[in-house]
Amino acid sequence: MTARCVLIAGAGPVGLAAAVEFRRRGFSPRIVDAGEGPTPDDQSRALGVLPRTLDILAASGIALRMLAEGNRISRMAVTDDGRPLFEMTTTPGHTQHPFILALPQGRTERLMIEWLAAHDVEIEWGVGFQTVADTHVPRVTLSTDEIVAADIVVGADGAHSAVREDIGISWSGDGYPAGFALADVVFDRPIDPAVAKIDLRTSPGHLSGAIAMLPLGERHGRYVGIAPSTEALLGDLPGIGEVVWASRFHVSFRHAERMAKGRVFLAGDAAHVHSPVGGRGMNLGIEDAATLAFLASEDRETEYEMRRLPSVRKVMAATRQGTDFIAAPPPAALALLRVFVPVAGQTPWLRGRIADRILGLDLPPPEWLRQAG
């Protein structure tokens, strides 16, 4: 029997994950992208890989390669204008990977591309989605004027999704008033690669809001936070030997009113975008892609929207709450955290709950992972 054709628009981490998951489940994925190639290794926005993403990519073997390359972060030291507030650890998390894996998005993409090439799937760069004639019996016109008859179409083509716009799904939400900045740096001396640092910067004299440092290894790290510029982000932080890459960006909290129309489905940023606080975006999108592939393998893809929307809404609400908190931490909440977190650290049940929240394990696991467990 001929394998069912899946046309995927977008070759970022979500589109690539969709291609991997559909391919290993016996489909014939075709993946197109209007760009010229994957994210540059030295300019990766997404960085944190959460345990469930590793669980999802374990079946293909990609997770092992990610684990071999990435840096494992298992502790967070939180300060208020440099004064210690509390520390947290992810080691009590209910997972075999109780850490955040720091791996640049460009490397994650290339590991997936290598796997796909080894399984006879090549990325068609410079080829964009144009329009789909019928969402129930999809016939997609590409930028090359080729018309593709597909059993399933996946729009993983980002926040400005051509697929979403073409099929007329509304895009709701608004922009966030504060700007963000990031800087990838080389330190002038070794750091502890297991410890992320978060400084809330609440004093009136600061030009920026909260800032986080995520280690990429003993000598490399990323600073990211609410700031109008890289200069405001880094200020007079000691120990930075070189800034390798810097970027400013604004974020929105927006979502598609639906994640499916007929046999056309949305995943990742095409369906939902939010701030980087918590590192959930790429991970949530990869779970979208894997869920769709699983459901399609059981001829249950019509369940996709109802299964993903609750998780999407929960993550977006939690991320908005977290972003608002770091933008303007209420003094009373800081005082409460200063007392609560050390006490919680002595209570095994609470330590596990806190770790699970940090690791993105506060959502129900996908059905096929529960079955495997």
Side-chain angles (χ1 to χ4, degrees), residues 193-235:
V195 181
K197 298 181 179 180
I198 303 168
D199 189 15
L200 296 177
R201 291 185 169 185
T202 57
S203 69
H206 275 303
L207 296 176
S208 64
I211 176 175
M213 190 286 290
L214 305 174
L216 293 169
E218 290 188 351
R219 291 273 185 176
H220 296 81
R222 166 170 294 180
Y223 285 98
V224 60
I226 296 174
S229 65
T230 303
E231 292 74 21
L233 178 79
L234 298 179

Side-chain angles (χ1 to χ4, degrees), residues 263-304:
R263 302 192 64 76
V264 181
F265 303 88
L266 302 178
D269 286 358
H272 43 79
V273 295
H274 50 73
S275 88
V277 174
R280 302 293 290 266
M282 179 183 72
N283 296 277
L284 188 66
I286 288 175
E287 191 168 331
D288 290 343
T291 299
L292 178 58
F294 164 72
L295 291 172
S297 72
E298 297 203 340
D299 294 319
R300 295 165 50 201
E301 58 266 35
T302 55
E303 300 176 20
Y304 172 71

Side-chain angles (χ1 to χ4, degrees), residues 45-365:
R45 289 279 175 87
L47 190 70
V49 180
L50 298 177
R52 193 157 289 158
T53 297
L54 294 172
D55 292 340
I56 287 168
L57 296 176
S60 62
I62 294 172
L64 284 177
R65 298 194 60 189
M66 296 171 73
L67 287 165
E69 292 193 23
N71 179 59
R72 304 179 186 198
I73 301 171
S74 58
R75 287 156 49 209
M76 287 82 189
V78 182
T79 57
D80 178 10
D81 288 324
R83 299 182 298 273
L85 271 179
F86 52 83
E87 290 197 11
M88 298 178 290
T89 177
T90 59
T91 53
H94 298 87
T95 170
Q96 63 177 324
H97 305 300
F99 48 80
I100 297 170
L101 188 74
L103 183 67
Q105 175 182 331
R107 283 304 303 149
T108 298
E109 291 177 6
R110 283 165 178 77
L111 291 175
M112 293 184 188
I113 290 170
E114 290 169 12
W115 187 95
L116 288 167
H119 292 80
D120 303 315
V121 180
E122 297 292 336
I123 315 305
E124 298 178 50
W125 299 109
V127 179
F129 169 94
Q130 293 285 89
T131 186
V132 57
D134 185 340
T135 58
H136 293 279
V137 186
R139 293 172 62 252
V140 177
T141 301
L142 301 177
S143 59
T144 57
D145 292 329
E146 180 186 359
I147 297 176
V148 180
D151 296 289
I152 291 173
V153 177
V154 182
D157 50 344
H160 302 287
S161 172
V163 176
R164 186 188 67 239
E165 292 182 7
D166 185 65
I167 62 177
I169 292 180
S170 298
W171 189 231
S172 302
D174 52 27
Y176 198 74
F180 283 74
L182 66 80
D184 287 345
V185 306
V186 179
F187 295 104
D188 57 17
R189 65 192 64 185
I191 62 170
D192 188 336
V195 181
K197 298 181 179 180
I198 303 168
D199 189 15
L200 296 177
R201 291 185 169 185
T202 57
S203 69
H206 275 303
L207 296 176
S208 64
I211 176 175
M213 190 286 290
L214 305 174
L216 293 169
E218 290 188 351
R219 291 273 185 176
H220 296 81
R222 166 170 294 180
Y223 285 98
V224 60
I226 296 174
S229 65
T230 303
E231 292 74 21
L233 178 79
L234 298 179
D236 56 356
L237 289 171
I240 297 175
E242 178 186 1
V243 177
V244 179
W245 178 59
S247 178
R248 294 174 56 201
F249 58 98
H250 285 83
V251 300
S252 297
F253 286 82
R254 302 184 191 275
H255 63 91
E257 292 295 335
R258 300 185 57 189
M259 293 181 70
K261 189 172 183 178
R263 302 192 64 76
V264 181
F265 303 88
L266 302 178
D269 286 358
H272 43 79
V273 295
H274 50 73
S275 88
V277 174
R280 302 293 290 266
M282 179 183 72
N283 296 277
L284 188 66
I286 288 175
E287 191 168 331
D288 290 343
T291 299
L292 178 58
F294 164 72
L295 291 172
S297 72
E298 297 203 340
D299 294 319
R300 295 165 50 201
E301 58 266 35
T302 55
E303 300 176 20
Y304 172 71
E305 183 175 82
M306 74 173 192
R307 290 185 175 276
R308 293 308 298 154
L309 276 178
S311 293
V312 167
R313 289 169 177 156
K314 182 174 181 178
V315 168
M316 289 195 66
T319 304
R320 181 62 185 251
Q321 184 180 40
T323 305
D324 289 343
F325 177 84
I326 67 166
L334 288 179
L336 181 63
L337 286 172
R338 193 189 298 272
V339 174
F340 171 76
V341 174
V343 171
Q346 304 303 314
T347 308
W349 177 79
L350 284 173
R351 290 176 69 222
R353 288 290 298 272
I354 292 170
D356 285 351
R357 179 69 179 267
I358 295 170
L359 295 172
L361 299 173
D362 51 345
L363 301 175

Side-chain angles (χ1 to χ4, degrees), residues 6 8 17-29 152 154 289 292-294 296-297:
V6 179
I8 301 165
V20 168
E21 289 297 292
F22 274 106
R23 183 70 184 91
R24 77 174 186 85
R25 291 185 182 278
F27 291 80
S28 179
I152 291 173
V154 182
L292 178 58
F294 164 72
S297 72

